[in-house]
Amino acid sequence: MNDLGGTDKGKYKDQGWIPKTIKKRVCSTFVEDSFSNGRLCQCGNRRVDHSSVALGDCFSTAIVNHWDSAQHSSEYPTDAFGEVQFTGTSKRHSHFLRLSWDTSPSMVYNVMIIHWRLPPPNLVVSVVGGDGRSKVKTWVREVIRQGLVKASQRAGAWILTTGLREGLSRCVGAAVRDHAAAASSDSNKVVALGIASWGLVHNREQLVNPKGSFPAKYYVQTSQDSCCLDNNYQAFLLVDDGTLGRRGGEMAFRAKLEDFISHQRTGILGSGSIDIPVLCVLISGEARVLERMDFCLKNSMPWLVLAGSGGTADFLSDLLDNLSSTQTFQSDSEAGPSVNMKEKVAEQAKRYFFTELVTDKLVDQALSIYQNRDLITIYHGEQESPADFDTVLLKALVGASKQRASDDASPYNEELKLAVTWNRVDIAKSELFNGDIQWKHEDLEESMTDVLINDKPQFVRLFTENGFNIHDYLSYGRLEELYCSVAEGTLLYQLLQRYLVLRLGPTTSISRSASAANLQESLTKGNTEKLLGEPIRQITLFEVSKVLDLLMGDVCQPFYQDVLGLEGNLSKKKSLLCPNKILHGEPEYRKGRCQSSWASLFIWAVLQNRSEMAAFFWEMQSESVLTALSGCKMLRELSRLESENETKLSMKELAQTFEMRAHDVFSSCYRSDESRSFDLLIRKSSVWGGTTCLQMGMGADARLFFGHDGVQALLSQIWWGDMDRNTEVWKLLLTFFCPFLCYTNFITFRQDDRQQEEEKLHVDGPSDSHYGTTVKSFSDLKNLEDETHRGIVLTVPTFSDTAKPYRPPPRPFIVSRWRQLWFAPVTSFLGNVLMYFLFLVFYAFVLLIDFKPPLPTGPSISECLLYFWVFTIMCEEIRRIFFLESRTHLQYLRGYIQDVWNKCYVIAITLFIAGSICRMFEQSYDAGHDILCVDYMVFTLRLIHMFAVHKQLGPKIIIIGKMMKDAFLFLFFLGVWIMAYGVASQALIYSYDPNLSRILRRVFYRPYLLMFGEDFVKEIDVGRDWVPKCTDNITLIEEGAEPCRLLYNNWLVVILLAIYLLVTNILLINLLIAMFSHTFSKVHGNSDIYWKFQRYNLVVQYHSRPSLAPPFIILSHINLFIRRIIRKVPSVKIKHFVLQLSQKASNRLLTWETIQKEDVLTAQNKIQKSSDSERLKQISAKLDGVVKYLSEIRDIDHRLRALENEMKYCSNAHRWTVETLAQSSTFKPPRPPPLS
């Protein structure tokens, strides 16, 4: 018996229902065994081991001649279940369960899948025969190791044996152990399941515990074959029929379990396209195996017989060969086989079995097996290579499935489904998709759903390459089915369930598997089949849209809203009520075809973190750069929500992979055509919610992508507007004070170059080298805006020879040059920097010189002007929040607050308002003045953000920001040490000092200054003459007098001071320097990338900012208020960096991008093929082919030698015949024998 430990109470609570549901068998009637002189019962137990009830039924004992388990045994709650630990062999625990032979197979299967969490099988291989201590042939061991177990590992199969350390089951266990040790972590695992008779298991009493064993200590005899449990098996079903030491008690239950499994679906939660294939493999075997084989064949279960392994296997091999060569059956009109046939079968059986075993029943079973010979495959292991054993298994199952398949079904469908189930794309390529079979679309639909749900991207690629149309396949209803198949426990499943609960209510969430608490009730009610059935489809596109809005709502418009017929801006209550009305019943949209099939599948794969599947869908999607950035965005948002570290790390790695793909494809585009690559960056995509590559890259935090020279070239072109990018800054500053210089050649503009290009275009005609004029400068946007105000509809130029871009009439030179100068973002930036410096100087002047007393004396005129100045700054921040393009103001406000510098501005404005209000009143005047002084520091820090655009200062600002985190960590260690030393020194120097302010100064402030070299030795070393006047009078001390210092323990204070200075000035300071050095060396290499990434925000900010700087910006705000609020004129400028192309121009741009993506993929494949690992794989494949060819030559050589021996024997026989006839006098040949 094993007692339950403290850590096993939870397991016992989960499995406490087992004894109430699962039963064992105990002999209830003693039937005397005639060979034991009354000591044993026919069940195998001794008389003394039977209960008094079993021994008291003398009448039944007298009339019964044969003991039967169903009649002479009773059921009791099982007393052996839980986990078993094999002492001295391995630390891994295996599950075990003692159960009655008539237990429901469905109940046992659900226990294994749900409670024991065994992976659902794609194949079940039941190994039959080889029982006892019979010696297994060497070539049979090799077939098991290199053929059976290896093929089962590829298919993700269960292997069923007796699970004992004897004969064939021991060989299977050793092979499973070796393959499990050599297999990679992501490969399929073979589940070895032992089904043995309880009364045959050695040391079974070690497993008995009515409360369950967690684990049971089980001793294994490893020296020789025995009936002990094999530690290489994952689970054991110990079938109890009430017998002891008798073999075959588990056969009936094992056959029923195999039959039940053969009617279950493969895949996750039964989502596969076929039932789980079950194949019985006969190796050797005794005569009683024929009964079980006959039963399974009648249930259409295929068998594979290893010819040459001995016993029943050899008998059946010869039987099928001999009877197939002659027609021994009567016609169909006759009842059964002839008497002659039975005699031949009986004679053949006597050659393999003992004569007393060859009964009429055995002969009838053999003939019944022969009638189902189409379900039997003979495998000659001595002549065939074990490496092709998986193909043999496939052909055996396919041959059996063709017998059961309907006539109208494709003859290759079952073979395809089996290859899909086993994930053997190599077999599918060589046997099914070699060009000989014409596949129809409807034949592949079910298999496509299977490979998508069960994550088999190689089959998806194979189907697509062979003409499968994904657009005809993927409807919105089928897309919802894919989301319904998301595995429980994943982050996507939790998010979908969250929005499902919000839509339907908190009581509608459905779990697709029974929990351990209600498992007993589900099993006892007979509803076990429902536990693994297909879940009720509740997940709709509404929940998917909400999840995507959570992940990408800051850069994209809502997904699938138009499909559902929902409006974008709905209140929270309406957004939940409207979908319920639309989704009631069977909505019509589910029948419609998905508009962007590859993009929808890409999103589905990325949300489940399926890297290989998502990579293939990305290759098939047209918008390569934007799709890769979208995947990067979703994965990084998911990684922030994911709690498991391993999954989070894999999401980050996959996000980095997609960012690198976007970088590589755009790099190829930029090298090919700079202008088209710029169009690609700012093109508005209808597939991805109206966003652009730049917006998606910013939302995805794609720093590597923004560090590309092409992206920075576009930002620089937008930053300088129509001016030359090499213009010196001092020329712009001088032009501020002398505006007429803009009309000279003092500053170079790009207008002259553009006029030359336009003249050339006018003369030569339109060229196909550009898709159209890209909106890149502030003045371009102003032109578009002005034309929009006039009611003119602008069109984007295309490749068409007839379509020409609309060009507004030219403005006067004075107006156009003025706009080119002042509408450039760099001009707005420099103007804001100059005015901000003036603001800080003016602010300092007010604080230091012209800060008047409170009302009614103050404030002064300059202070009022300062208030107005800050008011214009606040108006600009309000405009940035509420007058920019966004789906909701709350959404943009959330994004605004996430920026650190925006928080700094909000704090500065809030402090200024608070300080200005407080300084107006006498009571709070000083507090208001102090707040405004502190606020000046906050406004000054805002300069750092302005200079972040500088190429030299920007990266240094990034490094300083990273070092601030190290400084906070250093302050934590410093604070701990300061507090430790300060409290100890204060208590040692002063025995009593109730002055709190003095204590805080001496505990914290004095040790802090000591670190910087401040001399407090007069206060610490009290043994000298510099001690000031003090008193020991407690009354005076409580009134505030200086207490006298203690002298007797001053030596300890000096020691603590030395230790404190040693730790702070040497240890902690050097630690801080080392941390700063590490951070600098780590960040300095990437600081340029960080700066380029943050530069985008600054360019966008000043691109959309009015040209005037505060306080003159109020004029622009008044203009905007009149045009946006009063006149309701829509803004074009707020749609920064967005290019709306026509359908034809967009298609041609995407075609060009796809060509560049294919070039990149081709180059990557070429590099991969030339790598050392790929070359080793190719060499390994060639060597495998050579080895296979040599094995075939070896087989041919064996056959030739056998043929030579036969020819030699025939030659000798013929020679003997000739010699005999020559010596005989009865026969005279007409001519002499031929010469040799």
Side-chain angles (χ1 to χ4, degrees), residues 334-478:
E334 298 182 5
S338 63
V339 177
N340 186 26
M341 177 181 178
K342 290 184 178 182
E343 292 178 355
K344 289 185 177 181
V345 172
E347 291 177 1
Q348 193 168 0
K350 292 178 182 179
R351 291 161 43 192
Y352 293 94
F353 309 114
F354 295 108
T355 305
E356 58 271 13
L357 296 177
V358 181
T359 61
D360 293 339
K361 182 180 179 180
L362 186 144
V363 174
D364 293 338
Q365 290 172 354
L367 292 174
S368 177
I369 291 172
Y370 179 76
Q371 290 177 348
N372 295 288
R373 59 189 177 276
D374 293 333
L375 298 175
I376 302 175
T377 302
I378 305 298
Y379 175 73
H380 299 278
E382 291 182 300
Q383 302 176 4
E384 300 181 27
S385 173
D388 298 332
F389 196 79
D390 50 356
T391 307
V392 175
L393 294 181
L394 179 64
K395 291 181 178 179
L397 293 172
V398 169
S401 62
K402 288 181 179 179
Q403 300 298 322
R404 302 191 301 263
S406 59
D407 297 336
D408 56 346
S410 175
Y412 302 100
N413 275 348
E414 292 297 327
E415 188 173 357
L416 175 62
K417 292 177 180 179
L418 286 173
V420 167
T421 302
W422 297 358
N423 199 18
R424 295 302 307 274
V425 70
D426 53 340
I427 296 179
K429 284 183 178 179
S430 59
E431 301 292 336
L432 302 175
F433 292 92
N434 52 10
D436 298 334
I437 305 173
Q438 297 296 327
W439 290 97
K440 298 179 181 179
H441 179 82
E442 53 271 14
D443 294 336
L444 299 178
E445 283 188 349
E446 188 176 3
S447 297
M448 175 61 84
T449 304
D450 188 357
V451 299
L452 286 174
I453 293 177
N454 295 287
D455 192 17
K456 298 174 182 177
Q458 293 181 346
F459 273 99
V460 179
R461 183 185 295 272
L462 179 64
F463 293 165
T464 306
E465 291 175 352
N466 285 272
F468 185 81
N469 193 334
I470 197 67
H471 302 290
D472 294 338
Y473 164 79
L474 189 64
S475 62
Y476 289 112
R478 189 161 275 154

Side-chain angles (χ1 to χ4, degrees), residues 198-320:
W198 167 261
L200 195 63
V201 177
H202 185 63
N203 293 335
R204 58 188 173 277
E205 62 276 0
Q206 299 177 6
L207 305 175
V208 176
N209 187 346
K211 296 183 179 180
S213 303
F214 303 96
K217 304 294 183 180
Y218 187 78
Y219 176 72
V220 179
Q221 296 179 358
T222 59
S223 58
Q224 58 184 357
D225 286 356
S226 64
C227 290
C228 294
L229 299 179
D230 194 335
N231 60 294
N232 297 313
Y233 284 72
Q234 282 81 1
F236 298 93
L237 297 177
L238 307 178
V239 182
D240 190 2
D241 62 346
T243 62
L244 178 64
R246 307 293 172 87
R247 294 184 181 273
E250 78 284 357
M251 284 296 185
F253 172 79
R254 183 172 171 180
K256 291 190 297 182
L257 179 63
E258 292 166 358
D259 182 66
F260 173 80
I261 295 178
S262 65
H263 293 85
Q264 307 304 308
R265 284 278 177 170
T266 58
I268 302 173
L269 295 173
S271 59
S273 57
I274 61 172
D275 293 336
I276 298 175
V278 178
L279 177 67
C280 296
V281 179
L282 177 59
I283 303 176
S284 183
E286 300 177 357
R288 66 173 182 269
V289 176
L290 294 175
E291 181 179 1
R292 189 209 166 174
M293 187 174 183
D294 185 30
F295 172 79
C296 294
L297 288 174
K298 290 179 179 178
N299 291 328
S300 302
M301 189 173 296
W303 280 72
L304 179 67
V305 179
L306 261 68
S309 60
T312 307
D314 290 351
F315 165 68
L316 290 176
S317 176
D318 291 345
L319 178 68
L320 294 178

Side-chain angles (χ1 to χ4, degrees), residues 481-495:
E481 292 178 2
L482 294 179
Y483 279 102
C484 289
S485 67
V486 176
E488 290 188 25
T490 59
L491 177 60
L492 176 59
Y493 177 81
Q494 297 172 3
L495 294 175

Side-chain angles (χ1 to χ4, degrees), residues 499 502-504 542 546 570-581:
Y499 290 110
L502 289 177
R503 179 171 65 89
L504 299 180
F542 175 77
K546 286 296 182 182
L570 292 176
S571 63
K572 184 176 181 180
K573 184 176 181 180
K574 290 184 178 180
S575 64
L576 296 177
L577 291 178
C578 292
N580 288 329
K581 298 179 180 178

